[in-house]
Every structure is written in structure tokens, then in C-alpha cells.
Amino acid sequence: MNNLSIIVSNISRNYDSVKALDDVSFEVPRGELFGFIGPDGAGKTTLFRILATLVLPDKGTASVEGFDVVKDFKKIRKILGYMPGRFSLYMDLSVEENLSFYATIFGTTIKENYDLIKDIYRQIEPFKKRMAGQLSGGMKQKLALCCALIHKPAVIFLDEPTTGVDAVSRMEFWEMLRRLKESNITIMVSTPYMDEASLCDRVALIQDGKIMKISRPEEIIADYRYQLWAVRSGRFFELLSDLHAYPGVHSVHAFGQSAHVAFNKSALLMDDLRRHLIHAGYADVVIEEIRPAIEDCFMELMSQ
Amino acid sequence: MNTILFIIQKEFIQVFRNRMMLPIIFVVPFVQLLILVHAATFEMKNIKVSVIDLDMSSSSRKMISKFQGSPFFIIKNTSFSDKEAQQEMKKGNVDMILHIPYGFERKLVKENSAKVQVVINAINGASAGLISAYSMMIILDFNRELLVDFLSPATLASTQNINVTTSYWYNPKLNYKTYMVPGILCLLVTIIAFLLSGMNIVREKEIGTIEQINVTPIRKVQFIAGKLLPFWIIALFELAFGLIIGKLLFSIPIIGSLWLIFLSAAVYIFVILGFGLLISTMTNTQQQSMLVSFFFMVIFILMSGLFTSIESMPVWAQNLDRINPIAYFIRIMRMVMLKGSNFYDIQESFYSLVVYALAIISFAVWRYRKVT
């Protein structure tokens, strides 16, 4: 028995004339935390739905834990935990009722698999009599994760679990995923937030239905070819276009309050640029050298 | 099997947590029976008449007093002008104009025949027919009395009339309530079952919970059974509740067997639930489902024989009614409740419903897809 949990080969799926997925292939070993990063409409949800046996691929094959997603869908549904992007538990049932409903339809009980969800469920247990519709965004996600885990699945698919959740809850959520890995569950998660990529074992960058790159987050950063400066000034939007026009600059992206300027190594001198900018009227300009973060790498990959 | 029970349990929790649900289940049958049975009546009373008596003779007065004496008519005004009477009808103050021309009595005596004119407001065709029938009866009665007055007893004996007496079976007093209540109970059950089932699966689609259900090992037959059975139980309960109200408050006759009523209802509700289910597999939002359900329901109700009799519909419509489940059920309900029919009498309608239920539920199950 090989160690691969998810195998996807040459999957394509169209919606009418729109190519949602175009010849996608990848493999995920058992117990890995595998992330999908990409903008909205990149095809993440379609891919998740194919692997969750909800959508049939037009072309190609895929298997989860050795079961084909088309032929053995019944077997997959027994070992799969799926958390759709949209909150999809019963709003008019309480936390406890939701959880025990999902436990019973998998032929198990909350007690039986309590160990697996203990850490997560403890956080929402004080509210177990509350209707799911009245929970906060972060708590809804925790409940959804509990429901996806209650039957002790071998693989879980989490489609944008942190979208619309506050920053603290997001970090907590990722912390929970890292802990789940210890139970040897394969976790596939998608997110539009690039900063979350560094928390995965491996990430795939997906855009327009194609996978641009699959790599470990450290490797993606190591592969970054350009040098980076962060430039800050009061007149931010003019600064972006002026930087773009400066000869030798490869790309400029806005990151919060600063502009990240990428250029070929040693093509620019910091003093030259500072002088140029001060001359152009940016008296308060601050430039400093920075190390590339995963966002810089993705911006670069996506502009290719 | 356990899975189905868990789904049913979940549905019941949700149904009773819905704040509108209990009022709908208990108040609707009460109000419907109360309003429809008392207000929606075919009987005509207090028909307002405008009289134009240009003859002013004893015969014309006799005829007018006959109208006055009838419980159906009220003489609203008298005048000598056609125009004035027509104005009154235009304003909606009178429903009928009785016009007795000048020389009415003289013609009667001399020529043995005379004419009166009856003008009826026929905006409502059904009531115009009734007004016409009532006034004909009064005029005929007047005619018969004239014969007694004018002809000698000898001739009268030779023109011996055939006297027709009518008796109405199964509803001897032609009580409108007796006729309406079984049909209204059918509607009650239909509306509850149709709308609830039609909305239910679509609701799961709309709020996205069906995604999560679809990736579980629940088989679609289990899921659908778990979805239909709660509403089947609620609809049967509703029928029982309606029958109790009908019996206690309207003292409707229930001549036939209650078991037969519930057996037929049990099958019939499956047909309606199947219809609702089919609609919910074809629509994506509750609004769509509601519109489609209404479309079918209105047609089915209008053609069900509740308000108009099926026998007087054109042949194509009668043939079309073969696919109208409400028509079958109303027929069964009326036969069993009013006539005391036994199973043998209703078996044709009953088996039609059985076939219908099997066909529509299998079709709906086949249409329901967990995968796209």
C-alpha cells in the first residue's frame, strides 16, 4: 500500500464555456497539510467538489485513499470530511443537535470519537444549547470542523474555512489544523489569504483552473529571484506609479502601508532611488531592504 | 432504517422550532372551515328586485306580491321608468328588473297569454342562472293559480298536470355545508402537504445544507423517506383535526368508515408529497418552488370538482382531470363521508391514487441527484 492519500491526474471540468479546471494533476501523501492558494474563481471550489464526489470531472481521474471519485464514491463518502465554503449546518438546530445529527448519520456517536474533536469542541461546548445560526463566524467554523471530523475521517477537505473569520480566530483555526495532523489525517485546505500558505506543509498555487506551482513554502521563498525594498511615503498612490516608471524596477506591489519594489539583483542602488524620489517631491520617503515573504512570491508567480 | 429515524427526528425538531408552524397547523383548518363553509355559499338569498308595473291591475299586483312573498326576493324599489330601473342596476343596487307591460291583465283575459320581462344582472353567471330559475318558478306558480281562477273545474280536471316532487339523496336538505366540508378538508390536507414538502428540500438547497448531506453515506432513498414521512404524519394529523372540528362545530355527517377515509388519505398524501418533492428537485430556490407549486395547485383545485362539477366540464377537461389527484380524493371523500360508500365503491379512484403515488414518487427519487 503506497503512502499517497489523494491522487489527481489530468482533471478538467468546464461549466458551459468556462474552464473551471484545466488539466490539473497533483498528489498528496497521507497526513499532509496541503494548501490551495488562489484568487476567487481560480477553480479551488470545483476541485474540492470533485474530490468530495459532488461534481463529476469531464476528463481525468482522481482518487481519495485509493478509491476512485467516480466509481467508488460511496466508499469515499464514508471516510471523508467536507467543510464547504459556505456555512452549511442547520441554523435552526443547536450546536449539540447538529453534531449528534452528523454523528448518527455516519453511524457513530459523539462519545465514540470525542478524542478527535475534544480540543475544538471544548471551545464551543459552553454554547452547546445555542442555535448554530446565532454563533459568531469563528465559532461556526469550529462547529463545522467538529461536524466534519465526528466520524473520524481519513481525509478532510476544507474549502476556504477562514474566509470571513477574524484574524485571531483564523490563527486559532490553523493551530487546530496543525494539531489534527498528529492524528495522521490528510488535510486539504484552500484559502484566498496568502499569508496562510506558510502554515501548510506544501502549497499549490492555482489560477484560472491551472496549477502554477506546487512546493513547500520555504522552497517557494528560496526560489524567489529578485531583491526587495519596501518603500513608504505619504502620497502612496502616486508613489506606486512613479516607482513603476523608474528604470530597472521589475514590479511594484502594495502591501499595507508600503510598496514592495522587486528588481533584478544589484540593478538598483538605494541612494539613487531615494534621491530620485526626494527630487520628485516625496520628502518623507523611507526605503529599507526586506526579505521576501510568501505573498511576494505569489504576486510574482501570479503575474507570470 | 435508523438513519431514516434520525432524519425524521431532525425534521420534527426543525418543524416545531419554526414559530409559524404550530399556528399554521392548528389555526388554518379552523379558519378555512369557518370562512369557506359559511361564506362561500351558492344559495341565493335577498335578491334585490326593481319592479316596473305599468299595468297597475289586480293581476300584476298579485304577481308582485308573489315575488314579495318569496324568501329569495326583496322588492327594492318600484318605478314607472325603464331608465330609472336600469340606472339602479348600473349602480349595483338591484340584481333584477321585473317589467310588467301596460295591458298585461287585459291580454291575459282576452288572449289567454301575456308577457312580462325579466332583466338579470349576469356579471356573475352562476347567480344569474339561479335568479332566472327562481323567478321562473314564481311565474309558473302564478300561472297555475291563474288557470284555477279562469278555467272551469271541468276543464281543469282534464288538464291534469303531472306533479313532480323531487327528493335529494345523500344530502336531503341540500345543505351547502354538507357538500363543501369534505372538499375543504381535502384542500386543507393538500395545501399543507404540497407546500411543506415542496419547500423543504429546496430550503436545504438554498441554505446550502444539502452540500453537507450529500457527502455523507446517506442513501437518497433514506434521505427522501426521512423528508417525506414527517409531513405525511403532519398532514394525516391535520385531516384528523379537521374532521374533529367539522364534526363538533359544523356537525357534518360522516356516514362511511373513518378507516377508509384515512386509508385513502394516507395514499393521497403520498401523491401530493411526491408532487412537492418532484418540484423541489427541479427548482433551486424556495421562491421558484412556491410559484411552481401554486401554478399546479390552482389548476388542480379549480378542476377538482370542489366548486364546479366535473361532469359539466368539456370532455378534454374531464380527460385532463385523470391526472388531477385532488379530483380523485374529493370524489372519495364525498362518497365515503356523505354516501357511506365502502371500499368496493371507491376502488377505482383508490387504485388510481395508488398507481399515481408509486409513479410520482419513483420519478421524483430518480430525478433527485446528489452529484452534478
Side-chain angles (χ1 to χ4, degrees):
Chain A
M1 182 139 178
N2 67 35
N3 203 27
L4 289 177
S5 177
I6 302 167
I7 304 169
V8 172
S9 40
N10 310 102
I11 287 278
S12 297
R13 166 78 201 209
N14 299 340
Y15 289 110
D16 298 323
S17 60
V18 181
K19 269 192 180 164
L21 288 175
D22 186 10
D23 203 27
V24 169
S25 304
F26 63 92
E27 288 167 349
V28 182
R30 186 158 302 127
E32 193 175 56
L33 175 50
F34 190 85
F36 266 92
I37 313 285
D40 290 340
K44 300 189 295 280
T45 298
T46 305
L47 179 63
F48 275 60
R49 286 169 61 88
I50 287 176
L51 290 174
T53 71
L54 290 173
V55 171
L56 298 174
D58 292 339
K59 262 190 269 160
T61 56
S63 68
V64 177
E65 292 288 315
F67 301 122
D68 186 88
V69 290
V70 180
K71 276 180 279 173
D72 300 324
F73 67 93
K74 279 187 185 157
K75 285 176 188 147
I76 293 183
R77 283 175 185 169
K78 289 201 178 104
I79 52 148
L80 168 86
Y82 175 52
M83 198 174 138
R86 210 171 132 203
F87 182 70
S88 54
L89 300 175
Y90 294 98
M91 304 276 194
D92 49 355
L93 293 185
S94 70
V95 168
E96 203 178 21
E97 283 163 347
N98 265 300
L99 194 57
S100 61
F101 175 67
Y102 281 102
T104 49
I105 56 179
F106 279 101
T108 175
T109 57
I110 299 180
K111 227 180 236 166
E112 207 170 311
N113 293 321
Y114 190 70
D115 275 354
L116 191 63
I117 59 162
K118 187 173 57 188
D119 289 340
I120 310 163
Y121 189 55
R122 258 193 211 139
Q123 304 174 35
I124 50 175
E125 211 163 9
F127 313 103
K128 66 181 180 185
K129 297 282 178 214
R130 197 182 282 190
M131 296 300 125
Q134 284 155 8
L135 293 175
S136 69
M139 287 207 267
K140 273 183 188 158
Q141 294 310 81
K142 282 170 196 162
L143 174 60
L145 186 59
C146 285
C147 289
L149 288 170
I150 193 65
H151 57 293
K152 216 170 190 176
V155 186
I156 55 173
F157 295 109
L158 311 172
D159 192 6
E160 302 203 358
T162 53
T163 301
V165 174
D166 68 83
V168 177
S169 299
R170 267 169 60 190
M171 289 322 294
E172 275 176 14
F173 197 84
W174 278 94
E175 190 49 45
M176 285 184 267
L177 295 187
R178 308 245 16 132
R179 246 177 282 146
L180 274 181
K181 246 173 64 73
E182 289 158 22
S183 319
N184 206 28
I185 295 177
T186 309
I187 305 171
M188 205 168 112
V189 57
S190 74
T191 175
Y193 302 120
M194 298 176 190
D195 55 321
E196 292 180 347
S198 50
L199 304 166
C200 302
D201 292 334
R202 282 196 307 151
V203 284
L205 178 70
I206 184 166
Q207 194 174 24
D208 296 330
K210 284 197 177 87
I211 292 187
M212 318 288 288
K213 191 176 181 85
I214 301 179
S215 197
R216 310 180 71 78
E218 315 81 87
E219 285 168 8
I220 290 182
I221 295 174
D223 284 351
Y224 191 69
R225 295 184 286 133
Y226 299 98
Q227 208 161 339
L228 268 184
W229 287 342
V231 182
R232 272 191 298 274
S233 167
R235 288 153 55 208
F236 191 62
F237 289 100
E238 290 117 317
L239 179 69
L240 283 178
S241 56
D242 282 348
L243 283 171
H244 215 83
Y246 192 70
V249 169
H250 172 72
S251 67
V252 182
H253 294 292
F255 283 88
Q257 292 299 307
S258 54
H260 287 191
V261 179
F263 54 94
N264 280 318
K265 289 208 163 78
S266 64
L268 296 177
L269 288 172
M270 200 184 282
D271 285 342
D272 286 350
L273 180 63
R274 184 177 295 122
R275 223 172 295 134
H276 170 79
L277 289 174
I278 289 172
H279 193 70
Y282 300 94
D284 58 342
V285 70
V286 179
I287 306 179
E288 55 188 350
E289 185 164 347
I290 52 168
R291 288 165 46 128
I294 195 112
E295 289 101 318
D296 298 294
C297 309
F298 282 132
M299 295 307 276
E300 178 56 33
L301 285 168
M302 284 199 297
S303 59
Q304 273 171 11
Chain B
M1 195 58 215
N2 273 344
T3 313
I4 298 181
L5 286 180
F6 288 124
I7 300 174
I8 293 175
Q9 186 191 3
K10 180 211 108 195
E11 290 299 327
F12 269 118
I13 292 178
Q14 287 183 302
V15 164
F16 290 113
R17 201 158 277 170
N18 184 342
R19 234 173 259 166
M20 283 311 292
M21 216 50 214
L22 288 180
I24 286 175
I25 291 176
F26 289 103
V27 177
V28 166
F30 192 75
V31 174
Q32 271 195 347
L33 284 172
L34 204 69
I35 290 180
L36 286 172
V37 169
H38 282 296
T41 165
F42 282 149
E43 285 169 22
M44 293 285 302
K45 272 181 193 154
N46 309 330
I47 302 162
K48 290 169 290 228
V49 187
S50 174
V51 176
I52 306 168
D53 182 6
L54 297 177
D55 198 43
M56 300 287 277
S57 60
S58 67
S59 297
S60 71
R61 272 196 297 277
K62 200 170 176 187
M63 178 176 253
I64 293 165
S65 74
K66 274 215 149 308
F67 272 94
Q68 231 156 6
S70 147
F72 300 114
F73 295 93
I74 293 178
I75 310 286
K76 193 83 182 176
N77 72 341
T78 46
S79 72
F80 295 104
S81 140
D82 267 335
K83 234 182 204 164
E84 200 184 316
Q86 277 165 18
Q87 249 345 295
E88 285 297 299
M89 186 179 278
K90 240 181 205 168
K91 283 185 199 153
N93 293 340
V94 297
D95 308 307
M96 182 185 128
I97 302 170
L98 177 69
H99 183 118
I100 305 174
Y102 174 70
F104 172 71
E105 192 180 45
R106 193 160 37 102
K107 274 192 174 168
L108 258 185
V109 176
K110 279 193 167 168
E111 299 165 25
N112 276 333
S113 86
K115 283 175 179 165
V116 291
Q117 187 190 28
V118 172
V119 181
I120 298 167
N121 175 3
I123 283 199
N124 182 338
S127 62
L130 277 175
I131 295 175
S132 153
Y134 288 156
S135 39
M136 280 314 125
M137 258 162 48
I138 290 176
I139 294 167
L140 271 179
D141 201 35
F142 171 79
N143 212 13
R144 200 170 316 122
E145 281 176 24
L146 272 186
L147 289 176
V148 179
D149 286 351
F150 285 107
L151 300 176
S152 65
T155 20
L156 195 62
S158 67
T159 60
Q160 185 68 259
N161 296 6
I162 296 173
N163 205 351
V164 181
T165 42
T166 324
S167 82
Y168 298 100
W169 281 25
Y170 311 124
N171 188 358
K173 292 179 191 158
L174 272 186
N175 187 339
Y176 188 74
K177 284 172 207 166
T178 309
Y179 172 71
M180 281 308 271
V181 169
I184 286 178
L185 286 173
C186 294
L187 279 197
L188 196 69
V189 172
T190 309
I191 291 170
I192 291 279
F194 207 170
L195 291 184
L196 289 184
S197 67
M199 303 292 266
N200 192 278
I201 288 184
V202 168
R203 182 158 169 268
E204 298 231 0
K205 276 193 203 172
E206 207 173 74
I207 58 179
T209 46
I210 203 133
E211 281 278 276
Q212 198 94 59
I213 291 290
N214 283 349
V215 293
T216 65
I218 291 184
R219 297 193 0 251
K220 65 179 179 180
V221 175
Q222 292 176 324
F223 181 64
I224 286 172
K227 282 281 176 194
L228 293 189
L229 286 174
F231 300 112
W232 185 75
I233 294 168
I234 290 174
L236 277 178
F237 172 80
E238 192 76 7
L239 177 65
F241 186 64
L243 279 170
I244 291 170
I245 292 183
K247 186 79 201 167
L248 294 183
L249 295 183
F250 305 108
S251 46
I252 45 156
I254 305 173
I255 296 169
S257 135
L258 271 178
W259 289 113
L260 196 53
I261 292 176
F262 277 93
L263 180 71
S264 321
V267 177
Y268 168 72
I269 294 166
F270 272 123
V271 177
I272 294 301
L273 290 173
F275 243 105
L277 181 70
L278 187 63
I279 289 169
S280 68
T281 61
M282 294 178 175
T283 50
N284 288 317
T285 64
Q286 294 189 64
Q287 194 184 31
Q288 286 172 2
S289 157
M290 188 83 153
L291 286 174
V292 178
S293 299
F294 256 97
F295 170 78
F296 280 108
M297 214 152 64
V298 167
I299 291 180
F300 281 165
I301 289 174
L302 286 180
M303 292 183 69
S304 67
L306 176 61
F307 300 110
T308 54
S309 99
I310 295 175
E311 286 73 21
S312 53
M313 291 197 269
V315 178
W316 64 264
Q318 290 192 30
N319 284 332
L320 202 64
D321 239 10
R322 282 171 203 274
I323 60 159
N324 183 353
I326 303 182
Y328 287 108
F329 190 49
I330 287 188
R331 198 175 308 143
I332 293 177
M333 285 286 272
R334 280 189 179 145
M335 281 172 79
V336 176
M337 283 177 70
L338 306 184
K339 211 170 163 183
S341 301
N342 57 24
F343 182 77
Y344 184 79
D345 301 319
I346 60 159
Q347 60 174 343
E348 198 190 323
S349 298
F350 181 81
Y351 287 128
S352 306
L353 283 180
V354 171
V355 172
Y356 209 146
L358 290 176
I360 196 135
I361 288 185
S362 341
F363 185 53
V365 171
W366 175 77
R367 276 276 325 183
Y368 174 73
R369 295 288 151 83
K370 284 179 83 172
V371 179
T372 47

